[in-house]
Amino acid sequence: MNDPIYKLIELTGTSTTSIEDAVDKAIARAHKTIQNLSWFQLVETRGNIEDGKVRHWQVTIKVGFTVNE
Amino acid sequence: MNDPIYKLIELTGTSTTSIEDAVDKAIARAHKTIQNLSWFQLVETRGNIEDGKVRHWQVTIKVGFTVNE
Amino acid sequence: MNDPIYKLIELTGTSTTSIEDAVDKAIARAHKTIQNLSWFQLVETRGNIEDGKVRHWQVTIKVGFTVNE
Amino acid sequence: MNDPIYKLIELTGTSTTSIEDAVDKAIARAHKTIQNLSWFQLVETRGNIEDGKVRHWQVTIKVGFTVNE
Amino acid sequence: MNDPIYKLIELTGTSTTSIEDAVDKAIARAHKTIQNLSWFQLVETRGNIEDGKVRHWQVTIKVGFTVNE
Amino acid sequence: MNDPIYKLIELTGTSTTSIEDAVDKAIARAHKTIQNLSWFQLVETRGNIEDGKVRHWQVTIKVGFTVNE
Amino acid sequence: MNDPIYKLIELTGTSTTSIEDAVDKAIARAHKTIQNLSWFQLVETRGNIEDGKVRHWQVTIKVGFTVNE
Amino acid sequence: MNDPIYKLIELTGTSTTSIEDAVDKAIARAHKTIQNLSWFQLVETRGNIEDGKVRHWQVTIKVGFTVNE
Amino acid sequence: MNDPIYKLIELTGTSTTSIEDAVDKAIARAHKTIQNLSWFQLVETRGNIEDGKVRHWQVTIKVGFTVNE
Amino acid sequence: MNDPIYKLIELTGTSTTSIEDAVDKAIARAHKTIQNLSWFQLVETRGNIEDGKVRHWQVTIKVGFTVNE
Amino acid sequence: MNDPIYKLIELTGTSTTSIEDAVDKAIARAHKTIQNLSWFQLVETRGNIEDGKVRHWQVTIKVGFTVNE
Amino acid sequence: MNDPIYKLIELTGTSTTSIEDAVDKAIARAHKTIQNLSWFQLVETRGNIEDGKVRHWQVTIKVGFTVNE
C-alpha cells in the first residue's frame, strides 16, 4: 500500500550550453513516456570538443519514478 | 543457446520495518511483470526520518534476470 | 526562504541485535539535541566479535537535517 | 533536435571463451530489440568455475543508445 | 602556531536555478555562524522533479574552515 | 610484544532469513578453526531469487583476528 | 592506421562565475598547444571561499586528444 | 547444512598472451590445493613492459569456494 | 546504556614534517574541546609545495568520539 | 641514484579485435617517443557500436616509465 | 614455469610510532611463515586514541607472494 | 589573467626510508624541469619486499602546477 517502490533508469542528456540544460533535457524526454518522475542524481559529466570548444555537455543521470500500482 | 544473457534493472524498495523487507517488496513488485528474476545486489541504503524515528527504509538494489530467448 | 539548506552529520550507532536497531539508536540519540532530522544514508557496517559471536553491530550513517532559519 | 539523448541499460553477457565474446553476445542480443546502439562500457567481470576451469565468463556492461524522437 | 588546522562540515544547498546557486546558498548560510570559511568540494548532485521539471537542485558539499585558536 | 598484528580473511555467509543471520553463520564457521576473531566489516550484500522471493542472502565480510607471535 | 590512439591529460580550470566557464577556460588553454582535443570528463569540483562567497570554482578535468601520427 | 559458506582468496595470475589466460592459470593453480572452486571476479589488470611490448599480463582475481563441512 | 554511540568529525591537520605529525596536531586540537576521542581514520593526504619542496602536509582524518549521555 | 622515479601517462588505445590488442597498440605508440616503459594498469574499458557489433574496443591505461636523471 | 602466480593476503600491522613501522611489523610477521614475500600495497590507515594522543597506528596492507611450485 | 589554470601530472617516487621521503624525491625531480609546482595529492602507496623487509616505498602522487602564460 503505502510503501512506495521506485524504478531507476539511466539517461545521458546533452546540451551545447550547460550541465543544467543537459539534465533538463534528459528529464523532459523521460517525462514524455513516464509519469511520476520523482528524483535524479548525477552520475557522470563528460563532453566532446570541437575546435577547442565544448561542443556538447554530456551528463549522465539516474532518474527515479514510482512503479507502484 | 547455452550462454545466458541477463538484464539488470535498478529498483528502490521501501519498508517501515527493515532492510530485508524493503528488498523483498522491490523483488515481489518486479516479479509481477518479469519472469526469471535470478539475483540481486544491494546498491544503497537510505531512509527518511519523522519525529526522530526511521519512517521508511529505502533500499536500492540491482536485479538481474535472463533475457535469452 | 523556500530553498532549504541541510547539514549532514556522521554517527556510528551500535546494537547487539541488528543493523536496523543500531541505526534507530543513533537517530534517537541525535533527535535529543537536533530538531528536524530529515533523512539518513548508510556509510559503513562493521562490528566486533567475542567468542565467535557478533558482540556489537557498528553502523555508521550520515544524517541530514534542515538548518534554515 | 540536435542535442541527442541516450538511454543506458545494463546487461550481463556470458561466454565460455573470452571477455570479448561475452560482450559481443550481450550487444548482439540487445540489437534484436533496440536500434541505434551507440556505445558500451565494462562494469564488472566475473565468472563461474567447474572442475578448476572457467565455465562462463560473465561480463556486465552498460550499453547506451539514442532515444530521441 | 603556523600549522593551520581545518574542520570540514557537510552541507546540502538547494536551488531552483543551478548547481552553482545551490552551492552559493549553502556557503552563505554557513557564513552566518562560521568565520574563515576557506574552501569547499562537491560531494554529490541530486534533485527532485515535479511535472517533468527539476524542482530543486540539491548539491552536497564539504566546507573547510580554520579552527586554530 | 604489545603491538598486535591482525590477519583479515574474506567470507561469504548465506542465510534464508536475514543479513545479520548470514554474517552470524560466516563468523560461527570461521570460529571453528580460528581463535581470537576480533572484528568484521561488511563488503557486499547480494542474493539469489527463486519464484520472485529471496532464496539466500549472500553477505561478504572481512573478518580480522590476531596473529601475534 | 585506422585505430586511433588518444592521450589524456589532467587540467584544473578556474573561474569566478561557473563550473562550465572553468571547464571552457581549461580547454581553451590546452587548445593553444594541442591540436585535436576530442573529449573531456569531469574529475573533481572544488573551490576557494572569501568572505562567505565562492572566489574561484576549481574544476579538474581529463582531456583526451588523438596522438596518432 | 543448506546455507553454504564461502571463503574468498585473492590471486594474481600472469600470462604472456592474454587476460583470460592469466585468469585460467591462477584458477588452475588454486585448484591443485582447493576443492570446490565456485566463482571468481576480476579485481585489477596490470602488466609489465619490456622493449615496448607487454611482457606479462598480471590479473588479480578473487576466487570463492565452499568451506562448509 | 551499554550500546555506545559515536559522532565522527572531519579535520585536516597540517605539518611541515610528516603525515603522522599532521594527524597528531589535528587530534591534539580536537582534544581541547572534545572528551573521549576514540579512533580516527585517514581520508586524504595532500600538500602544498614551495620552491620544489613540500611546505605543508595536509592530512584529512575522520575522528570518532562517544556521545552517549 | 638508486631510488627510481616514474612518470605515469594515460592513454586510450583502440582496436577492432580485442582488449589486449588495444593495449598493445597504445604501448607500441608510446614506445615511439618514450624509452623505458616499465608497467601499465587498466583504467577503463569502453567501446563504440555499429550495426549491433563492437566497432572499436577503447581501453584506457596508465603507463609508467622511469624519469631519473 | 615462467608465468609466476601470486597470492595476496591482507594484514593489519600496528605501531605506536609511525605508519611505516606498522607496515614493517606486519611484513616481518608474515615473513616468519611465508617465503618469497614480493610486494605490498596500503589499503587503509586508522588508529585508536587515548588521552588525545594516537595510541596505535593501524595500517592494513595487502601482501603478495609467489605460490608457484 | 587572474583565473589560474593548472596541469596535473602523476609521478611515483621511491624511497628506502619513508613515504614522506618518496614524495619529496618525486617533487624534487619534477622541480628540475617544471616551475611553479603548487600542490600534490597522494594517489597510492605500494612497495616491494626483499628478505621480509620493505626495499622501496613506492608512492604515487598527482602534482599540480600553473600553466597560465
Side-chain angles (χ1 to χ4, degrees):
Chain A
M1 284 203 343
N2 247 342
D3 296 335
I5 294 175
Y6 305 90
K7 186 171 180 187
L8 291 90
I9 56 171
E10 202 160 348
L11 300 170
T12 301
T14 64
S15 163
T16 55
T17 57
S18 72
I19 297 171
E20 284 85 350
D21 188 51
V23 172
D24 287 343
K25 281 181 169 133
I27 290 173
R29 176 63 183 77
H31 184 60
K32 285 188 187 174
T33 54
I34 302 174
Q35 333 270 355
N36 336 50
L37 298 178
S38 177
W39 89 91
F40 72 94
Q41 55 198 90
L42 239 87
V43 174
E44 192 183 37
T45 301
R46 304 169 65 100
N48 53 358
I49 303 174
E50 283 181 14
D51 291 323
K53 298 220 166 69
V54 176
R55 172 75 181 110
H56 270 110
W57 296 86
Q58 302 164 331
V59 186
T60 300
I61 58 173
K62 285 188 192 176
V63 185
F65 55 96
T66 50
V67 293
N68 287 35
E69 145 234 30
Chain B
M1 315 182 323
N2 245 344
D3 297 334
I5 294 175
Y6 304 90
K7 186 171 180 190
L8 291 90
I9 56 170
E10 201 161 348
L11 300 170
T12 302
T14 64
S15 161
T16 54
T17 58
S18 73
I19 296 171
E20 284 84 350
D21 188 51
V23 173
D24 287 343
K25 282 181 168 133
I27 290 173
R29 177 60 183 78
H31 184 59
K32 284 188 186 175
T33 53
I34 302 173
Q35 331 271 356
N36 333 51
L37 297 179
S38 176
W39 89 91
F40 71 95
Q41 56 197 91
L42 239 87
V43 173
E44 190 182 39
T45 301
R46 304 169 65 100
N48 53 357
I49 303 175
E50 284 182 14
D51 293 323
K53 297 217 167 70
V54 176
R55 173 75 181 109
H56 270 112
W57 296 86
Q58 302 164 330
V59 185
T60 300
I61 58 173
K62 285 188 191 175
V63 186
F65 56 94
T66 50
V67 292
N68 287 35
E69 153 220 24
Chain C
M1 331 167 314
N2 245 343
D3 296 336
I5 294 175
Y6 304 90
K7 185 172 181 188
L8 290 90
I9 56 170
E10 200 160 350
L11 300 171
T12 301
T14 65
S15 162
T16 55
T17 58
S18 73
I19 294 171
E20 284 85 350
D21 189 50
V23 173
D24 286 344
K25 281 182 168 133
I27 290 173
R29 177 60 184 79
H31 184 59
K32 284 188 185 174
T33 53
I34 302 174
Q35 331 272 356
N36 334 52
L37 298 178
S38 176
W39 89 91
F40 71 94
Q41 56 197 92
L42 239 86
V43 173
E44 190 183 39
T45 301
R46 305 170 64 100
N48 54 357
I49 303 174
E50 283 181 14
D51 293 322
K53 298 217 167 71
V54 176
R55 172 76 181 110
H56 269 111
W57 297 85
Q58 303 164 330
V59 186
T60 300
I61 57 174
K62 285 189 191 177
V63 185
F65 55 95
T66 49
V67 292
N68 287 33
E69 144 235 32
Chain D
M1 335 161 310
N2 246 342
D3 297 334
I5 294 175
Y6 304 91
K7 186 172 180 187
L8 291 90
I9 57 170
E10 200 160 350
L11 299 171
T12 301
T14 64
S15 162
T16 55
T17 57
S18 73
I19 295 171
E20 284 84 352
D21 188 51
V23 172
D24 287 343
K25 281 182 168 133
I27 290 173
R29 177 60 183 79
H31 184 59
K32 285 188 187 174
T33 53
I34 303 175
Q35 333 270 357
N36 336 50
L37 297 179
S38 177
W39 89 93
F40 71 95
Q41 56 197 93
L42 238 87
V43 174
E44 190 182 40
T45 301
R46 305 169 65 99
N48 53 358
I49 303 173
E50 283 181 14
D51 293 322
K53 298 218 167 70
V54 176
R55 172 75 181 109
H56 270 110
W57 296 86
Q58 303 163 331
V59 185
T60 300
I61 58 174
K62 285 189 191 175
V63 185
F65 55 95
T66 50
V67 291
N68 286 34
E69 141 237 30
Chain E
M1 275 207 351
N2 246 342
D3 297 335
I5 294 175
Y6 305 90
K7 186 172 180 186
L8 292 90
I9 57 170
E10 201 161 350
L11 299 170
T12 302
T14 64
S15 161
T16 55
T17 58
S18 73
I19 296 171
E20 284 84 350
D21 188 51
V23 173
D24 286 343
K25 282 183 168 130
I27 290 173
R29 177 60 184 80
H31 184 58
K32 285 188 186 175
T33 54
I34 302 175
Q35 331 271 358
N36 336 50
L37 297 179
S38 175
W39 90 91
F40 72 94
Q41 55 198 94
L42 238 87
V43 174
E44 191 183 37
T45 302
R46 303 170 66 100
N48 53 357
I49 304 173
E50 283 182 14
D51 291 324
K53 298 219 166 70
V54 176
R55 172 75 182 110
H56 270 109
W57 296 87
Q58 302 164 331
V59 185
T60 300
I61 58 173
K62 285 189 191 177
V63 186
F65 55 95
T66 51
V67 293
N68 286 34
E69 138 243 33
Chain F
M1 312 184 324
N2 247 342
D3 296 336
I5 294 175
Y6 304 89
K7 186 172 180 187
L8 290 90
I9 56 170
E10 201 161 350
L11 300 170
T12 301
T14 64
S15 162
T16 54
T17 58
S18 73
I19 296 171
E20 285 84 349
D21 188 50
V23 173
D24 286 344
K25 280 181 169 134
I27 290 173
R29 177 60 183 79
H31 184 59
K32 284 188 185 174
T33 54
I34 302 173
Q35 332 271 354
N36 333 52
L37 297 179
S38 177
W39 90 90
F40 71 95
Q41 56 197 92
L42 239 86
V43 173
E44 190 182 39
T45 301
R46 304 169 65 99
N48 53 357
I49 303 175
E50 283 181 15
D51 293 323
K53 297 217 166 70
V54 176
R55 172 75 181 109
H56 270 111
W57 295 85
Q58 302 164 331
V59 186
T60 300
I61 58 174
K62 285 189 191 175
V63 185
F65 55 95
T66 50
V67 291
N68 284 34
E69 161 233 26
Chain G
M1 278 207 349
N2 245 342
D3 297 335
I5 294 176
Y6 304 91
K7 186 172 180 188
L8 292 89
I9 56 170
E10 200 161 350
L11 300 170
T12 301
T14 64
S15 162
T16 55
T17 57
S18 74
I19 295 171
E20 284 84 351
D21 187 53
V23 172
D24 287 343
K25 282 181 168 135
I27 290 173
R29 177 62 183 77
H31 184 59
K32 285 188 186 174
T33 54
I34 303 174
Q35 333 269 356
N36 336 49
L37 297 179
S38 175
W39 89 92
F40 71 95
Q41 56 198 92
L42 238 87
V43 174
E44 190 183 40
T45 302
R46 303 169 65 100
N48 54 355
I49 303 173
E50 283 182 14
D51 293 323
K53 298 218 167 69
V54 176
R55 173 76 182 109
H56 270 111
W57 295 87
Q58 303 164 331
V59 186
T60 300
I61 57 173
K62 285 190 191 173
V63 186
F65 55 95
T66 49
V67 292
N68 287 35
E69 144 237 30
Chain H
M1 322 172 318
N2 246 342
D3 296 335
I5 294 175
Y6 305 90
K7 186 172 181 186
L8 292 90
I9 57 170
E10 201 162 349
L11 300 170
T12 302
T14 64
S15 162
T16 55
T17 57
S18 73
I19 296 171
E20 284 85 350
D21 188 51
V23 173
D24 286 343
K25 280 180 169 135
I27 290 173
R29 177 60 183 80
H31 184 59
K32 284 188 187 173
T33 55
I34 303 175
Q35 332 270 357
N36 337 51
L37 298 179
S38 175
W39 90 91
F40 72 96
Q41 56 198 92
L42 239 87
V43 173
E44 192 183 38
T45 301
R46 304 169 66 100
N48 53 359
I49 303 174
E50 283 182 14
D51 292 322
K53 297 219 167 70
V54 176
R55 172 76 182 109
H56 270 110
W57 296 86
Q58 302 163 331
V59 185
T60 300
I61 58 173
K62 286 189 192 177
V63 185
F65 55 96
T66 50
V67 294
N68 287 36
E69 146 233 31
Chain I
M1 276 207 349
N2 247 342
D3 296 336
I5 294 175
Y6 304 89
K7 186 172 179 187
L8 291 91
I9 56 170
E10 201 161 349
L11 300 169
T12 301
T14 64
S15 162
T16 55
T17 57
S18 73
I19 296 171
E20 285 84 350
D21 188 51
V23 173
D24 287 344
K25 280 180 169 135
I27 290 173
R29 177 60 183 78
H31 185 59
K32 283 187 186 174
T33 53
I34 302 174
Q35 332 270 357
N36 337 50
L37 297 179
S38 175
W39 90 91
F40 72 96
Q41 55 198 91
L42 239 86
V43 174
E44 191 183 37
T45 301
R46 303 169 66 100
N48 52 358
I49 303 174
E50 283 182 13
D51 292 323
K53 298 218 167 70
V54 176
R55 173 74 181 110
H56 269 111
W57 296 86
Q58 302 164 330
V59 185
T60 300
I61 58 173
K62 285 189 191 176
V63 186
F65 56 95
T66 50
V67 292
N68 286 35
E69 139 241 34
Chain J
M1 324 170 317
N2 246 342
D3 297 334
I5 294 177
Y6 304 90
K7 185 172 181 187
L8 292 90
I9 56 170
E10 201 160 348
L11 300 170
T12 301
T14 65
S15 162
T16 55
T17 57
S18 73
I19 296 171
E20 285 83 351
D21 187 51
V23 173
D24 287 342
K25 281 182 168 132
I27 290 173
R29 177 61 183 78
H31 184 58
K32 285 188 187 173
T33 53
I34 303 174
Q35 332 270 356
N36 334 51
L37 298 179
S38 176
W39 90 90
F40 72 95
Q41 57 198 91
L42 238 87
V43 174
E44 191 182 39
T45 301
R46 304 169 64 99
N48 53 358
I49 304 174
E50 283 181 15
D51 292 323
K53 297 219 167 69
V54 175
R55 172 76 181 110
H56 270 111
W57 295 86
Q58 303 164 330
V59 185
T60 300
I61 58 173
K62 286 189 191 174
V63 186
F65 55 96
T66 50
V67 292
N68 285 36
E69 150 245 25
Chain K
M1 339 160 308
N2 246 343
D3 296 335
I5 294 175
Y6 304 90
K7 186 173 181 187
L8 291 90
I9 56 170
E10 200 160 350
L11 300 170
T12 302
T14 64
S15 162
T16 55
T17 58
S18 74
I19 295 171
E20 284 84 351
D21 188 51
V23 172
D24 287 343
K25 282 183 167 131
I27 290 173
R29 177 61 184 79
H31 184 58
K32 285 187 186 175
T33 53
I34 302 175
Q35 332 271 356
N36 333 51
L37 297 178
S38 175
W39 89 92
F40 72 94
Q41 56 197 93
L42 239 86
V43 174
E44 190 183 40
T45 301
R46 304 169 64 100
N48 54 357
I49 304 173
E50 283 181 14
D51 293 322
K53 298 217 167 70
V54 176
R55 173 74 181 111
H56 270 110
W57 296 86
Q58 303 164 332
V59 186
T60 300
I61 57 174
K62 284 190 192 176
V63 186
F65 56 95
T66 50
V67 292
N68 286 34
E69 151 226 25
Chain L
M1 324 170 316
N2 246 342
D3 296 335
I5 293 176
Y6 305 90
K7 186 172 180 188
L8 291 90
I9 55 170
E10 200 160 349
L11 300 170
T12 301
T14 65
S15 161
T16 55
T17 58
S18 73
I19 295 170
E20 284 84 351
D21 188 51
V23 173
D24 287 343
K25 281 182 168 132
I27 290 173
R29 178 60 184 79
H31 184 58
K32 284 188 186 174
T33 53
I34 302 174
Q35 332 270 356
N36 335 50
L37 298 179
S38 176
W39 89 91
F40 71 95
Q41 56 197 91
L42 239 87
V43 173
E44 191 182 40
T45 301
R46 304 168 65 100
N48 54 356
I49 303 174
E50 284 182 13
D51 293 322
K53 298 218 167 69
V54 175
R55 173 76 181 109
H56 270 111
W57 296 86
Q58 302 164 331
V59 186
T60 300
I61 57 173
K62 285 188 192 175
V63 185
F65 56 95
T66 50
V67 292
N68 286 35
E69 134 246 34

